[in-house]
Amino acid sequence: MNPIQPHTLFTDFDIDLFKAGKHFQLYEKLGAHLIEVNGIKGCYFAVWAPSAKSVSVVGDFNYWVEGQHPLYVRWDSSGIWEGFIPHVDKGTKYKFKIVSHNNTATEKADPFAFYCETPPNTASVVWDLQHSWNDTTWIEKRKKHNALNQPYSVYEVHLGSWKRNAEGKFLTYLELADQLVNYVKETGFTHVEFMPVMEYPYDPSWGYQLVGYFAPTSRFGKPQDFMVLVDKLHEAGIGVILDWVPSHFPSDAHGLGFFDGSHLYEHPDIRKGYHPDWKSLIFNYGRNEVRSFLISNAIFWLKNYHIDGLRVDAVASMLYLDYSRKDGEWEPNMYGGRENLETISFLKDFNEAVYAQFPDVQTIAEESTSFPMVSRPTYLGGLGFGMKWMMGWMHDTLQYFGKETVYRKYHQNDLTFSLTYAFTENFMLPLSHDEVVYGKHSILGRMPGDEWQRFANLRLLYGYMFTHPGAKLLFMGGEFGQSSEWDFQQSLDWHLLDYSYHKGIKQCISDLNSLYKNYPALYEKQFSADGFEWINYSDNENSVIAYIRKGNDAKDNLVIVCNMTQVVHENYRIGLPASKSLKEIFNSDKLEYNGSGVQNNFSIPVQPIAWHGKTYSAGIKLPPLAVSVFKVE
């Protein structure tokens, strides 16, 4: 006798929301859910497969035999197949056997599975999300920690290669909950950002080709183990951001592609449904059910894993119909433009849904074009993101720092241009994983000069980054001057911390994080032109720039001077708006960083000498290849 029973978790209202693209808790209905029906414990299964001829659940409970446990299709044309199977327990492996109308049979992993087999195995696993959270204090204060007028310094991490054990194997979520948490706390970052943790089949994709959108990868442990990691970070006062990939997905046989024998999740037009760069499939953002799937996924991580922010990957590829396409390979929108109107609508819906339910989190766009108002509210016509990566700053700054110091005077504009548009968006300054792979060298490896100069340049770059307006992001390894390019197949080169130059970089980053968090002028107005004022950006002959960072109170203002060459200036005059004295509070040339120790050790008097268009001025000592930060006393 077939033990499957008709059962549903869906109401008519659920179906209406699903069809309208407005059901944002689909994970509570679709997938596999351990329940009790008429006193019998078992599992309710539901899957969206409107073009299927039949759907059955196969698994280790029925020896993977098709047809033993068929699901029932709903009567309401929703395309949902469902049913209750008694005595299926937590830990059961399963897939959906789907026979299409052309009689093609495939075994698909559950798109809503909470847990998956460890690749290369591909089955879904019946699981629950029970966990006793210990982060109440963090959640209650998260609104302040995540606010745009607070310090936001992000440590970007690839879990598989941050650190490995003595045998070269992955650290587990529980081991990371000890080692990573302590390290992030020690170095002073306010947040960590995990490259995709959702289940993915192919390690070289770094997680950006997802199959299990609702399951943390089992490479590092169980779902509850990942919850412990998040919990421990929150207990340490550290926020957690996840990379989220709604832009594309792989065509693996067990994944979302051609799910029910039709283009269910991907756009049926290859010009919109296939990504030529990544050889992957693109979601159909105009299909309401797909919008419900994606937005439900975003809400899922924020709600069930207490995530504090989502960094949305490859937004530029989503926004433009001609992205990476030649003439004739794309079709203009209804107005003749290149913008993907369906994507724009989807992203607005996504941000509105997230901020409506979680006003204390942030969404962050990786968007590399000049598309307007990415980080402006939807009610003003923006896309609704909280922040946007400042890719132009990253490109121009790294290009500048890669030049020998003798040539920098010819490229001053590369350094200063970012301030012409710095306040058009809420920008995050990224030095991300993409900048340390594929022959680009490590960040340290880009720095010119001898060994001393390379490390001085790196400290200078970081000092400039942390005093430039905007939030900050640094990829793992950069904080101690990783020498080689990032390799996802092995641990970072932690042995480098045995050497003084690398210790100095780590200490410098720790102190910069402390500076950023403790001086309001660096964060209170970090996204406003009111928080920045040039002192001098035109001294290209000496390759020196100077500027003021401002907080809500003028007494908190800071003066920053960057010397981009190895020439020491004993009495470099800068203009100042007030007659108060200056006290040096940070210097990237300190001996403890392995600098040369050229510092301003005493209070610097400000004189009534007009300079740089200002009434007052002061003569300061400029260390070589260094940033000096002064508090106005």
Side-chain angles (χ1 to χ4, degrees), residues 206-344:
W206 312 334
Y208 289 99
Q209 298 271 7
L210 302 180
V211 169
Y213 269 76
F214 291 82
T217 177
S218 55
R219 287 167 174 82
F220 315 116
K222 297 179 173 63
Q224 280 76 9
D225 298 339
F226 181 62
M227 292 176 181
V228 170
L229 173 56
V230 175
D231 232 347
K232 293 296 183 182
L233 283 162
H234 284 170
E235 288 181 60
I238 300 162
V240 181
I241 304 165
L242 295 187
D243 273 11
W244 187 55
V245 191
S247 48
H248 63 114
F249 59 92
S251 57
D252 294 58
H254 67 291
L256 297 178
F258 214 59
F259 189 80
D260 62 351
S262 72
H263 297 288
L264 188 62
Y265 288 92
E266 69 271 22
H267 201 287
D269 186 340
I270 192 172
R271 294 172 295 181
K272 295 181 179 180
Y274 179 75
H275 201 296
D277 284 354
W278 302 315
K279 308 294 186 292
S280 54
L281 303 175
I282 300 172
F283 285 103
N284 185 354
Y285 305 107
R287 187 162 193 169
N288 285 340
E289 295 91 343
V290 173
R291 294 163 79 104
S292 287
F293 169 81
L294 286 171
I295 298 176
S296 289
N297 185 244
I299 298 299
F300 170 82
W301 291 101
L302 298 172
K303 180 179 179 181
N304 292 281
Y305 285 88
H306 293 202
I307 299 303
D308 306 293
L310 297 172
R311 176 265 194 186
V312 183
D313 182 63
V315 172
S317 75
M318 300 169 66
L319 289 173
Y320 294 101
L321 296 165
D322 63 344
Y323 187 91
S324 287
R325 298 180 190 276
K326 300 174 184 177
D327 290 344
E329 295 179 348
W330 63 283
E331 183 180 42
N333 62 35
M334 60 187 293
Y335 303 110
R338 53 195 283 260
E339 296 80 13
N340 190 326
L341 303 181
E342 294 170 345
T343 294
I344 292 169

Side-chain angles (χ1 to χ4, degrees), residues 142-185:
R142 180 167 69 177
K143 185 174 183 178
K144 177 181 178 182
H145 292 299
N146 268 349
L148 294 175
N149 62 353
Q150 293 295 317
Y152 211 93
S153 176
V154 181
Y155 186 55
E156 186 188 24
V157 175
H158 178 260
L159 288 173
S161 59
W162 178 73
K163 186 181 288 187
R164 302 238 176 147
N165 64 22
E167 290 77 41
K169 296 180 180 179
F170 297 136
L171 295 185
T172 66
Y173 291 127
L174 297 180
E175 289 170 328
L176 288 161
D178 177 30
Q179 299 182 42
L180 178 63
V181 172
N182 289 334
Y183 184 78
V184 175
K185 190 172 183 179

Side-chain angles (χ1 to χ4, degrees), residues 393 401 418-419 423 429 459-472 511-513 515-516 519 521-523 525-526 531-534 545-550 558-562 564 585-588 626-630:
W393 171 88
F401 272 88
S418 61
L419 271 305
F423 307 108
L429 313 182
R459 296 191 302 271
L460 170 59
L461 167 60
Y462 291 157
Y464 170 62
M465 173 184 181
F466 272 79
T467 57
H468 187 289
K472 328 296 176 189
D511 290 351
L512 282 168
N513 272 320
L515 181 80
Y516 182 35
Y519 287 89
L522 294 177
Y523 61 79
K525 296 181 178 180
Q526 59 189 336
F532 181 89
E533 180 182 344
W534 278 116
I545 58 172
Y547 45 92
I548 301 171
R549 291 297 309 278
K550 302 176 179 180
L558 299 179
V559 173
I560 296 99
V561 187
C562 304
M564 302 296 177
I585 58 172
F586 177 83
N587 184 325
S588 66
V627 174
S628 304
V629 181
F630 301 90

Side-chain angles (χ1 to χ4, degrees), residues 395-409:
H395 176 269
D396 292 346
T397 300
L398 289 177
Q399 183 170 277
Y400 177 89
F401 272 88
K403 298 184 185 303
E404 294 285 349
T405 56
V406 68
Y407 301 119
R408 288 180 177 176
K409 64 182 178 181

Side-chain angles (χ1 to χ4, degrees), residues 466-483:
F466 272 79
T467 57
H468 187 289
K472 328 296 176 189
L473 179 140
L474 184 62
F475 182 57
M476 64 183 198
E479 79 283 1
F480 62 79
Q482 171 97 359
S483 303

Side-chain angles (χ1 to χ4, degrees), residues 56-74:
S56 59
V57 183
V58 295
D60 51 14
F61 59 93
N62 63 12
Y63 304 101
W64 302 90
V65 175
E66 176 187 353
Q68 293 293 307
H69 295 88
L71 297 181
Y72 298 86
V73 65
R74 289 181 61 89

